[in-house]
């Protein structure tokens, strides 16, 4: 017998409410480390490693790398939680779309929220080694474009609600962050000053030039390959930009990608201390002897001095608007307002 339309709508509402309730319960509950052993023993993920990294972090392993995690990374967790309590007045329930940036490694009980322009290519390579069933052994042997192919790594959004909740409660959740404006300059340099990024030039560059350049040349409107940093900043702070569509992930705020006030991250790594923080995560996962996080060989990495040069010709008015736009990332991850800014 076919269910009446009203009944189908009621059933759909109930299912959606159940999903929302499961995720909400996770967001308001801190990890119960003593219960993790029971939980994972009852539902062991396939190929699970010998030790749970969340237990290792919270139970106080005395290994030198892990003691670093316990001291330095614990301080970041506490600062993040304090900032969330002081700044977040209204909670909301996570949706499956909010979980698209959370990569899952069931073998080692890890959840990683990837942030573009914060070493996410190398972290995806490492996770492909860890989850690849022997297909990969050297992260740097994996081409960068392959690391970003959808389907090579599983995201939390792919699981049913009960499985999402179990992983959020019992897996070690980590994210790597970076000074917001250094990340922004890095994104601009990569997407708008490299000749090979024609897709970004066409998709965003042409729009930016059309809106924010007085009397643009026809070839610039066609190619979109010579966007200035000032035009990029004008585009970001333009109210029309976010009204029309979500920000691209390369310049979207970290708190909007990873929801650190709704998901309680156990490790907050920083780009500025990338190598020791990465070693600590791999140590917590118990794989420090089988895979190494690749060190960067770039000689033109975007740093504070380079960011200062890009902001030198940006007006104080635009600097202030941009800082306000990224203010939550500065606050949540304990970054000070850059000294090179002139917001008055």
């Amino acid at each position: 017998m076919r269910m009446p339309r009203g009944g189908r709508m009621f059933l759909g509402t109930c299912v959606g409410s159940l999903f929302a309730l499961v995720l909400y319960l996770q967001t308001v509950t801190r990890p119960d480390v003593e219960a993790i052993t029971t939980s994972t023993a009852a539902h062991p993920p396939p190929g699970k490693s010998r030790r749970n990294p969340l237990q290792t972090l919270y139970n106080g392993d005395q290994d030198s790398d892990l003691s670093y995690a316990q001291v330095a990374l614990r301080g970041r967790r506490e600062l993040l939680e304090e900032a969330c309590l002081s700044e977040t007045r209204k909670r909301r329930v996570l949706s499956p779309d909010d979980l698209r940036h959370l990569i899952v490694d069931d073998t080692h009980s890890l959840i990683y929220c990837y942030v573009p322009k914060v070493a996410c290519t190398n972290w995806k390579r490492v996770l492909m080694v860890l989850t690849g069933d022997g297909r990969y052994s050297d992260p740097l042997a994996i081409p960068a474009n392959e690391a970003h192919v959808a389907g090579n790594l599983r995201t939390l959004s792919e699981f049913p609600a009960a499985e999402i909740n179990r992983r959020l409660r019992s897996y070690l959740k980590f994210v790597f962050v970076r000074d917001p404006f250094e990340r922004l300059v890095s994104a601009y340099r990569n997407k708008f000053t490299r000749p090979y990024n024609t897709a970004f030039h066409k998709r965003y560059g042409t729009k930016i030039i059309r809106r924010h350049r007085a009397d643009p040349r026809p070839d610039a409107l066609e190619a979109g390959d010579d966007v200035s940093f000032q035009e990029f900043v004008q585009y970001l702070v333009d109210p029309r930009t976010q009204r029309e569509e979500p920000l691209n992930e390369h310049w979207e705020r970290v708190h909007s990608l990873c929801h650190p006030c709704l998901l309680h991250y156990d490790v907050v790594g920083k780009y500025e201390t990338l190598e020791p923080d990465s070693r600590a995560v791999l140590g917590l996962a118990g794989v420090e002897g089988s895979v190494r996080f690749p060190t960067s060989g770039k000689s033109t990495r975007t740093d504070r001095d380079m960011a200062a040069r890009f902001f030198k010709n940006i007006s104080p008015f635009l600097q202030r608007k941009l800082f306000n736009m990224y203010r939550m990332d500065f606050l949540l991850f304990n970054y000070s307002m850059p000294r090179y800014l002139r917001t008055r």
Side-chain angles (χ1 to χ4, degrees):
M1 176 181 289
R2 183 178 178 86
M3 183 181 292
R5 184 171 181 270
R8 294 198 306 272
M9 292 178 63
F10 177 75
L11 180 61
T13 301
C14 290
V15 172
S17 299
L18 178 61
F19 179 83
L21 177 62
V22 169
L23 288 183
Y24 177 75
L25 289 174
Q26 189 281 328
T27 66
V28 298
T29 307
R30 301 241 356 225
D32 183 352
V33 178
E34 291 183 358
I36 288 171
T37 304
T38 304
S39 171
T40 54
H43 305 280
K48 178 151 181 341
S49 62
R50 289 191 304 274
R51 64 178 181 179
N52 184 292
L54 196 58
Q55 288 176 294
T56 304
L57 178 64
Y58 285 96
N59 286 349
D61 194 302
Q62 295 304 307
D63 178 273
S64 59
D65 274 348
L66 303 189
S67 64
Y68 167 85
Q70 293 157 7
V71 176
L73 303 184
R74 181 187 301 131
R76 292 183 193 159
R77 287 199 311 271
E78 293 171 353
L79 285 171
L80 175 58
E81 289 175 4
E82 290 172 7
C84 286
L85 287 172
S86 65
E87 293 295 322
T88 306
R89 300 286 181 261
K90 185 177 180 181
R91 302 185 69 86
R92 71 174 181 82
V93 176
L94 288 165
S95 70
D97 195 54
D98 293 323
L99 308 177
R100 292 182 298 108
H101 273 246
L102 275 70
I103 295 172
V104 176
D105 174 2
D106 277 330
T107 305
H108 304 93
S109 300
L110 298 174
I111 294 176
Y112 162 59
C113 186
Y114 73 89
V115 179
K117 307 312 299 176
V118 192
C120 77
T121 301
N122 280 342
W123 262 116
K124 287 181 178 181
R125 285 166 161 160
V126 167
L127 288 167
M128 287 175 70
V129 171
L130 293 179
T131 61
D133 297 324
R135 284 176 293 165
Y136 312 99
S137 58
D138 178 9
L140 285 179
I142 302 172
N145 61 334
E146 186 175 341
H148 298 294
V149 171
N152 279 345
L153 293 164
R154 297 197 73 181
T155 65
L156 198 59
S157 61
E158 300 173 34
F159 295 90
E163 290 298 302
I164 289 172
N165 186 51
R166 180 175 68 80
R167 286 168 172 81
L168 285 173
R169 288 180 63 85
S170 61
Y171 285 17
L172 184 136
K173 300 177 291 295
F174 70 100
V175 60
F176 274 75
V177 300
R178 183 179 187 177
D179 177 281
F181 282 176
E182 291 175 27
R183 174 176 172 247
L184 191 65
V185 170
S186 178
Y188 166 77
R189 293 178 62 217
N190 180 258
K191 301 307 177 187
F192 294 106
T193 70
R194 303 291 191 264
Y196 51 79
N197 270 323
T198 54
F200 271 80
H201 302 160
K202 287 284 188 179
R203 174 72 178 80
Y204 296 100
T206 54
K207 178 188 291 188
I208 292 171
I209 291 170
R210 184 170 65 252
R211 285 188 176 174
H212 300 291
R213 183 177 300 180
D215 194 24
R217 300 188 320 272
D219 59 327
L221 285 171
E222 173 66 24
D225 60 354
D226 64 343
V227 171
S228 70
F229 185 65
Q230 176 165 320
E231 291 168 338
F232 178 54
V233 171
Q234 289 175 305
Y235 162 76
L236 291 174
V237 302
D238 186 338
R240 292 173 293 181
T241 298
Q242 290 190 63
R243 282 203 304 264
E244 291 175 349
E245 60 183 342
L247 292 178
N248 182 275
E249 64 179 10
H250 290 84
W251 46 84
E252 177 62 280
R253 284 70 55 94
V254 175
H255 75 271
S256 295
L257 294 174
C258 296
H259 312 287
C261 292
L262 297 174
L263 297 167
H264 297 287
Y265 286 95
D266 306 290
V267 173
V268 178
K270 290 201 169 186
Y271 190 78
E272 294 80 6
T273 51
L274 178 61
E275 292 184 24
D277 290 358
S278 298
R279 284 198 304 271
V281 172
L282 295 176
L284 289 165
V287 296
E288 65 273 38
S290 57
V291 63
R292 293 186 61 184
F293 188 84
T295 56
S296 175
K298 292 182 179 180
S299 58
T300 57
R301 176 184 289 186
T302 303
D303 57 14
R304 182 184 302 132
D305 291 339
M306 182 176 291
R309 291 197 294 272
F310 275 84
F311 274 90
K312 183 177 181 180
N313 296 320
I314 304 299
S315 71
F317 172 75
L318 287 177
Q319 289 186 11
R320 183 168 60 252
K321 291 193 73 171
L322 193 68
F323 180 80
N324 288 338
M325 181 177 173
Y326 286 87
R327 174 181 171 275
M328 281 297 289
D329 277 2
F330 278 98
L331 178 69
L332 294 176
F333 303 115
N334 198 32
Y335 286 103
S336 302
M337 177 187 287
R339 293 183 178 180
Y340 54 76
L341 286 191
R342 298 170 289 110
T343 56
R344 295 180 182 178

